Amino acid sequence: MPDLSKRLTILREKQGWSKAETARRLGLKAPSTYGNWEYGIREPDLDTVRHIATLFDVSVDYLIGQNSEPSYKPVTTKEKNDIAKRLEKITEDLRYEEHQHLNGEYLQEETTEYIIDSLEFTLKQAKKMNN
């Protein structure tokens, strides 16, 4: 499950939880168990993957990299047309997904950081203006 460790990090950071807090919420006795999953040293068993999916409200397919959309729920038109959500998803992809391209060329790290910074600034300004 090569994408699992990255996706665990993404989901945990979105919640603002530490690794220890996430381990506690999963009922793990040793926080290092969860840490090993994020570092890609070990992988949880299938029942635990299901439990993780429930905790973060995502599909198992998303956790294991079979689906790029985290939710198994149908996306509403309102959500689909929400520019903020789309920009946040692009930023998330840039931050955590490997092998991103721009005009058919691999994105350099500096370019990726520039785009992320620009998107975050633009979104923040747009939210201020729209209120």
Side-chain angles (χ1 to χ4, degrees), residues 39-110:
Y39 295 127
I41 296 169
R42 299 205 187 283
E43 293 178 349
D45 60 39
L46 185 55
D47 284 336
T48 305
V49 171
R50 280 190 226 132
H51 187 78
I52 294 167
T54 301
L55 175 68
F56 290 118
D57 195 27
V58 297
S59 68
V60 170
D61 285 349
Y62 172 76
L63 283 176
I64 63 174
Q66 295 298 309
N67 188 350
S68 63
E69 293 300 318
S71 179
Y72 50 84
K73 300 170 190 165
V75 177
T76 65
T77 302
K78 183 177 179 182
E79 291 171 328
K80 189 176 182 179
N81 293 336
D82 190 325
I83 299 292
K85 291 195 181 304
R86 290 167 42 197
L87 290 176
E88 288 166 357
K89 174 70 172 114
I90 291 169
T91 301
E92 184 178 290
D93 288 347
L94 286 167
R95 187 169 278 130
Y96 297 109
E97 299 293 329
E98 294 179 356
H99 311 299
Q100 296 294 316
H101 292 83
L102 178 66
N103 291 332
E105 299 291 327
Y106 282 111
L107 275 175
Q108 300 297 318
E109 188 173 334
E110 311 83 50

Side-chain angles (χ1 to χ4, degrees), residues 12 15 20 29 31 35 37 50 64 80 84 109 112 119 124:
R12 177 183 59 77
Q15 295 296 325
K29 293 177 182 159
W37 298 339
R50 280 190 226 132
I64 63 174
K80 189 176 182 179
E109 188 173 334
T112 301
L119 288 173
K124 183 178 176 182

Side-chain angles (χ1 to χ4, degrees), residues 25-40:
R25 289 174 182 260
L26 289 169
L28 301 173
K29 293 177 182 159
S32 61
T33 300
Y34 178 80
N36 286 337
W37 298 339
E38 268 198 28
Y39 295 127

Side-chain angles (χ1 to χ4, degrees), residues 109-124:
E109 188 173 334
E110 311 83 50
T111 308
T112 301
E113 289 304 316
Y114 175 77
I115 294 170
I116 290 170
D117 290 345
S118 298
L119 288 173
E120 287 175 344
F121 175 78
T122 301
L123 187 54
K124 183 178 176 182

